[in-house]
Structure formats: structure tokens, C-alpha cells
Amino acid sequence: MTDPSRILRSTAAAWLAAAALAVPAAHADYLWLQQDAGQARAYAGELRKPLQQLPALEDARQVLPDGKSIPLKADASHFTADAGQGDVRIAATRPGANGVLTYYQARFGRNDTKAVNDLELVPTTAGGDTFQLVFMGRKVAASQVNVQTSEGWYRTLTPSQDGTVSFKPYFPGLYVLEVTARVDNGSVTLDGKKYTDVRHTTTLSFEVKP
């Protein structure tokens, strides 16, 4: 099977030359990370409506700080990643119907101010409340960032003039920030099939203690 992450990286320059990220795609499920019983676990769906069965994903992997990756351990309802020290990142790919290819990326923790995943929300200061969207190492402005908590609080954030988004997480619980976007003029051929609708969904999650 062709490595979809390698294809993405090889066509990144062309995509960035054509345009950055387009307006948000239609609402979609996402992957997010949370800490459960001392482990980092990744769930799919929405924070308040997790899927009981993982969707058909390819190349599901934990992305290490140096950019290398290791396969994720899959259970029926979640992936398990090595919590280790510091922020945790994962990525996966979903070839879909009607020419849609989705790259899922997720991160738990807001201490590292450097992006590692291809699309990542990065805190501008360690542990801070202001975040910058980074695509292929380049700062871009998200059209909007959705924020949801395990307690049901929800907001849609609009970026400021410098492209960052900010909010104050007052309430205890798990926070998940989510961005879904299309790549303008982007197409990918994966395992002999061409995908003309290329989407990226990324989340940043962290916990606020009582």
C-alpha cells in the first residue's frame, strides 16, 4: 500500500503555491486524544458523541517529536498511544467515497510551541490560551476554530488579525479545539485512485483541573 503521508508531503509545495487552506469543509467527525487511566487514547466522532466503533482508517500512527512515527494500537472503540513525556500526537488517513480523502491529526497537551503534525494548532506560549494554526510548517489563519468541552460548553472562535485564536478555559474538564478545512486545488492519487477533495481535520485537546 502506498504511504499516504509520503504522498501528502511530496505534494505539499504545489498545494501551498496554489493556495493555503480554504474555507471550512462541511461538518465532519474528528479524532481527539484524551488521558484515560494513565494512557493516551484516541477516539473518533465528536467529543459528546464518540463512535462506538472506529471508522476504517489507514496509516494510523503516533507521531513522535522528531517526526518519526510508530503504529497505533487499535481497540474496537479507540486507539492507544504511548503517553510518555510531553505532548502526544497521532495521525491517520481515511479514503472515502466520492473522491474525498481526509487526513486526521490530533494532539494532546499545549506545552510544545512547535508544530510536528502536517496541520496543527500550536500554543504561542507553553501552557497558553492563544493558538496558531500551522500547515506544513507555515502559519495560516483558520477561518474558524470550534471548541467543545467534556461538560458540554461549546464556542466557535474567529481568528484575530494576526491569524491566532484565543479564549480563556475557565471551567474544569477536557477541552477539544477542532479545525476542518479543504486544500484549494489539491488532488492526491492513492493506491491508484484519484481524490479531488482533500480535507484536513486537526484537534488540540488538553485538560483543565478543578
Side-chain angles (χ1 to χ4, degrees), residues 150-181:
S150 54
E151 303 304 312
W153 185 82
Y154 181 90
R155 288 291 185 276
T156 296
L157 307 178
T158 301
S160 59
Q161 289 186 348
D162 64 0
T164 62
V165 293
S166 301
F167 79 105
K168 190 68 178 178
Y170 289 107
F171 312 110
L174 176 70
Y175 285 74
V176 177
L177 286 69
E178 177 262 332
V179 176
T180 297

Side-chain angles (χ1 to χ4, degrees), residues 10 15 80 90 107 112 147 149 157 180-181 190-191:
S10 67
W15 287 357
T80 301
I90 65 166
R107 166 181 170 170
D112 190 356
V147 183
T149 76
L157 307 178
T180 297
L190 179 62
D191 294 329

Side-chain angles (χ1 to χ4, degrees), residues 15-23 135 138-141 181-186:
W15 287 357
L16 286 172
L21 296 183
V23 296
F135 181 54
R138 181 179 182 178
K139 294 180 181 179
V140 295
R182 289 189 179 95
V183 176
D184 270 347
N185 303 320

Side-chain angles (χ1 to χ4, degrees), residues 5-132:
S5 63
R6 181 176 60 81
I7 292 177
L8 175 62
R9 289 190 292 271
S10 67
T11 55
W15 287 357
L16 286 172
L21 296 183
V23 296
H27 176 76
D29 292 336
Y30 50 82
L31 290 178
W32 76 93
L33 280 159
Q34 64 186 61
Q35 294 278 10
D36 285 335
Q39 294 181 318
R41 291 181 177 175
Y43 295 89
E46 298 179 56
L47 179 58
R48 299 290 289 174
K49 298 178 183 178
L51 299 177
Q52 297 305 305
Q53 185 74 35
L54 284 172
L57 300 176
E58 297 183 0
D59 193 32
R61 63 200 187 278
Q62 181 171 357
V63 182
L64 305 178
D66 61 3
K68 296 179 180 179
S69 61
I70 55 177
L72 287 172
K73 301 172 185 176
D75 203 334
S77 63
H78 64 271
F79 293 111
T80 301
D82 181 10
Q85 300 294 323
D87 298 343
V88 180
R89 296 171 176 86
I90 65 166
T93 308
R94 186 177 189 181
N98 302 319
V100 178
L101 180 66
T102 304
Y103 291 99
Y104 291 105
Q105 288 136 117
R107 166 181 170 170
F108 181 86
R110 50 174 173 161
N111 293 315
D112 190 356
T113 58
K114 176 184 176 182
V116 177
N117 275 330
D118 293 324
L119 182 67
E120 190 169 313
L121 276 166
V122 180
T124 57
T125 59
D129 303 327
T130 298
F131 306 91
Q132 174 72 61

